[in-house]
Amino acid sequence: MIQIDRFGRTPIYEQIIDQIQRLIITGVLKAGDQLPSVRTLSQELSINPNTLQKAYSELERSGVCISVPGNGRFVTESAVAVIGESMEEQIEEMKRIGKELCVAGIPIERVLKAIQSAYGKESKV
Amino acid sequence: MIQIDRFGRTPIYEQIIDQIQRLIITGVLKAGDQLPSVRTLSQELSINPNTLQKAYSELERSGVCISVPGNGRFVTESAVAVIGESMEEQIEEMKRIGKELCVAGIPIERVLKAIQSAYGKESKV
DNA sequence: ATGAGTGTACTATAACAGATAGTACACTAA
DNA sequence: TTAGTGTACTATCTGTTATAGTACACTCAT
């Protein structure tokens, strides 16, 4: 369900945040669903409970999930919307890279094709 | 010529690498040009000489510049090509973000427009 | 030959982030 | 009561980043 890359440069807690958000926007996890507990998931992933707690806290801070002490942690109704908003930042990041590629002389057609392939529109025309 | 953001998350030496590469692909620095010495530039930027040395070493490792002990450090003939190759990685990063935006349900038109605006093609049609 | 200006190497230190380890406490539901 | 939740806290370890200071070798102009 969740894969951890221990050798990459991205911190474990960030990887978890990204992957849980992905599970939500892909519909694997839906509003009201319970997230795995800190203890069980940390054991399953062989990571420290505190590391997972850090990821969960951040998800809760941004409004993706809500914790019910003594009960569990659940995906909020607004989770999909919240994550969607964070996608705006991704678009900004795209613009930033786009400007770099522009000054580097990379033709815009190459970039557009890359985007289209990511969207599964190969456009082999 | 070079601006340092001491409060951002990107390390100083990476900022220097990025900005020198930018100076080269924009033509401000050309093949054969001498880079500022470790001592002078580190004083100018108020950073440690070792930090700058780290940035320069990395630029040299990737083939952007070459050092001549006792003489100076110069932009190589292949610098532009080398930097251009590293742009391929940027395109891969774009694909990665593109896939995320795709599963998040962001319409491809929004992404394409973002790219075009980065390229200065506003396409106000 | 000398001196100024290069690059390079090395050790040491401090600060910070990331991750781990272990413990403790409060809450809820069966 | 018990098991399973979330939460809080301290302590430690590690790697990266950045700084500080020193030392040495090289090149060039004088």
Side-chain angles (χ1 to χ4, degrees):
Chain A
M1 194 160 176
I2 292 186
Q3 300 292 329
I4 297 297
D5 174 17
R6 300 185 100 85
F7 304 104
R9 37 192 146 180
T10 43
I12 293 178
Y13 76 94
E14 277 191 20
Q15 296 181 41
I16 293 171
I17 291 174
D18 290 344
Q19 296 197 38
I20 287 186
Q21 286 184 338
R22 176 173 295 242
L23 288 174
I24 292 174
I25 58 182
T26 55
V28 178
L29 286 175
K30 299 175 184 176
D33 283 357
Q34 182 171 7
L35 294 177
S37 82
V38 175
R39 287 172 180 81
T40 58
L41 185 54
S42 63
Q43 280 187 9
E44 190 178 313
L45 300 178
S46 298
I47 64 174
N48 192 279
N50 291 333
T51 303
L52 184 54
Q53 173 72 15
K54 187 172 184 179
Y56 274 172
S57 298
E58 175 60 22
L59 284 170
E60 193 167 344
R61 191 200 59 77
S62 64
V64 170
C65 60
I66 181 76
S67 70
V68 182
N71 196 348
R73 189 176 257 109
F74 305 89
V75 178
T76 63
E77 299 290 334
S78 58
V80 173
V82 167
I83 298 172
E85 286 175 18
S86 76
M87 289 299 115
E88 299 298 324
E89 301 170 16
Q90 299 283 49
I91 291 185
E92 289 307 310
E93 174 71 2
M94 274 221 167
K95 284 187 182 176
R96 194 191 61 75
I97 300 177
K99 286 176 185 170
E100 278 193 33
L101 295 172
C102 180
V103 296
I106 306 293
I108 190 173
E109 289 76 17
R110 281 212 52 199
V111 184
L112 296 181
K113 279 187 182 177
I115 301 298
Q116 286 164 346
S117 77
Y119 266 77
K121 302 180 180 179
E122 291 297 343
S123 74
K124 300 179 181 175
V125 183
Chain B
M1 195 157 175
I2 292 185
Q3 300 293 330
I4 297 298
D5 174 17
R6 300 183 103 83
F7 304 103
R9 35 192 147 179
T10 42
I12 293 178
Y13 77 95
E14 276 191 22
Q15 295 181 41
I16 293 171
I17 292 173
D18 290 343
Q19 295 196 40
I20 287 187
Q21 287 183 337
R22 175 173 296 242
L23 289 173
I24 292 174
I25 57 182
T26 55
V28 178
L29 286 174
K30 298 174 184 174
D33 283 357
Q34 183 171 8
L35 293 178
S37 80
V38 175
R39 287 173 181 80
T40 59
L41 185 55
S42 63
Q43 280 187 8
E44 191 178 313
L45 300 178
S46 299
I47 63 173
N48 192 280
N50 291 333
T51 304
L52 185 54
Q53 173 72 15
K54 187 173 184 179
Y56 274 172
S57 298
E58 175 59 22
L59 284 170
E60 192 166 345
R61 190 199 60 77
S62 64
V64 171
C65 60
I66 181 77
S67 71
V68 184
N71 197 348
R73 188 176 258 110
F74 305 90
V75 178
T76 63
E77 299 290 335
S78 57
V80 174
V82 168
I83 298 172
E85 286 175 18
S86 75
M87 290 298 117
E88 299 298 325
E89 301 170 15
Q90 299 283 49
I91 292 185
E92 289 306 311
E93 175 71 3
M94 273 222 170
K95 285 186 182 176
R96 194 191 61 75
I97 300 177
K99 286 176 186 171
E100 278 193 32
L101 294 172
C102 180
V103 294
I106 307 293
I108 190 172
E109 289 75 17
R110 281 212 52 198
V111 184
L112 295 180
K113 280 187 181 177
I115 300 299
Q116 286 164 346
S117 78
Y119 265 77
K121 302 180 180 178
E122 291 298 341
S123 75
K124 300 177 182 178
V125 183

